[in-house]
């Protein structure tokens, strides 16, 4: 990471000079040029997914699409935005993607030669720094070479703070504690305009984002349910074990719910468990050890973590906006098996769980089947076949 003062000066340097400096550094370091993606041209559809791979979703969507033997898929991620090491077909240093003009030209040539479709993630430039990172220009050049270009939004790249505040009283965008809200508002508005201008097949990864891009198709996040499956009983302890393991406490509403959770713990009503620093490999055993998983209470949406908890058959309690629940109904024909609670109602919901275990046990039991139907990749494959690749789904 650059020091902010150096970064400010760096941005004043013309792009062509930046490119030369960056490539000189790589030559001095004798850094090898990364390979560019390739695809099996025997397949009818070949899709390139790039470059965010948040929570490994670019890779998982690609693998889901490849369950159709007519499809090959490859994903690419900027190495520096993949700190947790999620699987990716191609992980390329930011310096190369942004500044290596030879590599950029090779990438464009490879896409034109081997691929039929490009799915842009999070409004990032799929060709890196080519044409100064101008996504519109890059889309025009890709289309001129016969490629079909679509876009998928992941989350806060398209979640408009002002709109979110209108629907969610506990929105994390009510102040600048998490992010500079006004700056984010400008970035998101520009991203939405970009989607409008690109006017290709458009997708969002979570149902709550349909509020921000109504014309998008829901492309469900994908997990592997198998590591999360467990025979461990649920809601049978006299004192229920309640887990809250926030990836981002400010966004999840941790500070707002912890006082009541600790009070219920002290009263002996629940056993409250919260930990930090667990690896992904440690999470299935942690979920299996609990009865209730509290996800988030400020965003009004759900994602990978809630899917993992549902796959484990735990009772998931979270705040999901009605607009998000309706998007699930419309997209899947199913009710989302996450128990509704907001920051104000969480205590009464937990007390009700303690009193009516059998009813909530049945709700928890719906989770694994929901994940198998919606989030194991099968549903995402069908969406991609139908809405991006132009294939009749193999259902």
């Amino acid at each position: 990471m650059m020091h902010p003062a150096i970064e400010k000066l760096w941005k004043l340097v013309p792009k062509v000079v930046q490119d030369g400096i960056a490539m000189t550094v790589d030559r001095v370091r004798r850094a090898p040029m990364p390979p560019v993606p390739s695809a099996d041209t025997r397949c009818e559809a070949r899709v390139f997914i790039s470059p965010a791979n948040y929570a490994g979703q670019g890779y998982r969507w690609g693998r889901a699409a490849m369950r159709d033997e007519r499809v090959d898929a490859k994903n690419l991620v900027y190495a520096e935005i993949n700190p947790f090491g999620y699987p990716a077909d191609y992980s390329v240093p930011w310096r190369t993607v942004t500044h290596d003009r030879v590599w950029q030209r090779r990438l464009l040539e490879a896409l034109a030669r081997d691929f039929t479709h490009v799915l842009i993630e999070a409004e990032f430039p799929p060709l890196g720094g080519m044409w100064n990172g101008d996504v519109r220009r890059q889309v025009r050049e890709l289309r001129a070479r016969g490629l079909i270009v679509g876009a998928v939004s992941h989350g806060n790249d398209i979640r408009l703070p002002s709109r979110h505040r209108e629907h969610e009283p506990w929105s994390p965008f009510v102040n600048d504690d998490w992010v500079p809200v006004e700056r984010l508002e400008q970035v998101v508005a520009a991203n939405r305009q970009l989607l409008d201008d690109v006017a290709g097949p458009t997708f969002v990864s979570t149902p709550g984002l349909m509020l921000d891009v109504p014309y998008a198709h829901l492309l469900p996040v994908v997990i592997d349910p198998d590591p999360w499956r467990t025979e461990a009983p649920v809601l049978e302890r006299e004192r229920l074990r309640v887990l809250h393991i926030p990836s981002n406490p400010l966004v999840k509403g941790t500070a707002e719910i912890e006082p009541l959770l600790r009070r219920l713990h002290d009263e002996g009503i629940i056993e409250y468990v919260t930990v930090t620093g667990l690896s992904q490999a440690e999470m299935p055993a942690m979920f299996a050890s609990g009865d209730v998983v509290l996800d988030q209470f400020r965003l009004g949406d759900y994602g990978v973590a809630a899917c993992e908890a549902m796959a484990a058959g735990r009772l998931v309690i979270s705040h999901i906006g009605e607009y998000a629940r309706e998007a699930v109904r419309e997209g899947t024909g199913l009710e989302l098996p996450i128990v509704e609670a907001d920051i104000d109602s969480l205590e009464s919901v937990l007390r009700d769980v303690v009193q009516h275990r059998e009813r909530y046990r049945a709700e928890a039991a719906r989770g694994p089947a929901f994940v198998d139907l919606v989030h194991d990749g099968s549903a995402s494959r069908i969406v991609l076949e139908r809405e991006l690749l132009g294939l009749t789904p193999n259902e």
Side-chain angles (χ1 to χ4, degrees):
M1 295 289 291
M2 287 185 181
H3 185 280
I6 297 175
E7 183 177 7
K8 187 174 181 179
L9 290 173
W10 176 254
K11 290 180 178 178
L12 297 175
V13 176
K15 179 67 164 53
V16 65
V17 178
Q18 290 181 358
D19 293 344
I21 293 172
M23 289 305 93
T24 299
V25 170
D26 274 356
R27 283 194 294 272
V28 170
R29 292 178 174 177
R30 297 185 179 179
M33 181 179 292
V36 294
S38 62
D40 185 347
T41 56
R42 295 171 297 178
C43 293
E44 182 178 346
R46 289 95 62 190
V47 58
F48 174 66
I49 305 172
S50 174
N53 200 42
Y54 293 145
Q57 290 305 299
Y59 178 85
R60 289 190 178 275
W61 285 324
R63 289 304 182 272
M66 288 172 63
R67 296 178 192 177
D68 185 330
E69 62 184 10
R70 298 169 294 176
V71 179
D72 192 16
K74 295 294 188 297
N75 90 297
L76 179 146
V77 63
Y78 300 167
E80 289 78 3
I81 61 173
N82 191 31
F84 296 108
Y86 289 108
D89 293 304
Y90 296 89
S91 180
V92 182
W94 173 86
R95 187 196 306 278
T96 299
V97 174
T98 305
H99 296 295
D100 192 330
R101 297 189 173 195
V102 173
W103 185 89
Q104 292 164 2
R105 286 195 298 272
R106 290 180 181 178
L107 173 62
L108 179 59
E109 291 166 0
L111 295 181
R113 180 185 67 243
D114 284 2
F115 291 84
T116 58
H117 297 75
V118 173
L119 185 61
I120 300 171
E121 294 183 276
E123 300 81 42
F124 287 147
L127 302 176
M130 205 169 199
W131 295 297
N132 291 320
D134 183 338
V135 179
R136 291 170 178 81
R137 171 72 185 274
Q138 293 184 11
V139 169
R140 289 198 301 271
E141 296 292 341
L142 289 166
R143 286 174 172 165
R145 289 160 174 79
L147 289 138
I148 296 171
V149 182
V152 57
S153 299
H154 279 268
N156 290 319
D157 57 301
I158 205 63
R159 184 179 287 116
L160 192 68
S162 59
R163 183 181 295 114
H164 195 261
R165 290 195 302 267
E166 292 176 3
H167 289 84
E168 299 295 344
W170 293 99
S171 171
F173 304 121
V174 294
N175 54 44
D176 290 350
D177 289 351
W178 178 33
V179 292
V181 174
E182 287 308 312
R183 173 59 183 150
L184 182 61
E185 180 89 6
Q186 296 169 6
V187 170
V188 172
N191 285 345
R192 171 57 194 272
Q193 186 62 56
L194 174 63
L195 294 180
D196 294 349
D197 293 346
V198 168
T202 305
F203 307 87
V204 292
S205 64
T206 64
L209 299 177
M210 297 294 292
L211 195 66
D212 294 284
V213 196
Y215 56 78
H217 305 284
L218 178 59
L219 181 63
V221 297
V222 178
I223 71 165
D224 177 2
D226 288 342
W228 304 93
R229 300 189 198 279
T230 177
E231 297 299 321
V234 65
L235 302 179
E236 292 186 359
R237 297 176 179 84
E238 180 177 349
R239 186 180 184 185
L240 298 186
R241 199 161 197 251
V242 177
L243 309 180
H244 179 57
I245 308 172
S247 56
N248 186 327
L250 198 153
V251 173
K252 298 284 187 174
T254 303
E256 287 75 17
I257 65 174
E258 272 211 323
L260 77 91
L261 296 173
R262 297 197 180 280
R263 176 163 50 80
L264 293 177
H265 176 95
D266 293 342
E267 291 178 19
I269 294 173
I270 66 170
E271 177 191 358
Y272 172 50
V273 177
T274 183
V275 293
T276 58
L278 290 182
S279 69
Q280 187 71 1
E282 294 172 305
M283 288 299 295
M286 175 57 67
F287 278 176
S289 75
D291 295 294
V292 176
V293 175
L294 306 179
D295 185 29
Q296 63 78 30
F297 297 88
R298 301 191 74 180
L299 283 181
D301 208 349
Y302 80 100
V304 170
C307 292
E308 293 165 345
M310 284 189 285
R314 305 303 93 182
L315 182 69
V316 183
I317 301 177
S318 186
H319 168 53
I320 311 295
E322 182 54 33
Y323 53 90
R325 291 184 183 272
E326 181 59 30
V328 173
R329 293 186 199 103
E330 290 185 5
T332 70
L334 301 171
E335 290 291 335
L336 177 64
I338 294 178
V339 174
E340 173 61 29
D342 60 22
I343 290 170
D344 292 326
S345 65
L346 179 57
E347 179 174 356
S348 63
V349 170
L350 286 171
R351 290 183 182 276
D352 195 57
V353 172
V354 172
Q355 295 297 318
H356 303 95
R357 296 163 183 253
E358 195 62 37
R359 169 156 52 93
Y360 288 101
R361 195 175 292 122
E363 185 72 3
R366 293 178 52 231
F370 179 86
V371 171
D372 286 347
L373 287 169
V374 180
H375 294 290
D376 78 339
S378 301
S380 300
R381 171 183 61 80
I382 291 171
V383 172
L384 289 171
E385 287 171 333
R386 181 183 294 133
E387 306 299 344
L388 177 66
L389 304 179
L391 301 173
T392 302
N394 290 325
E395 302 185 44

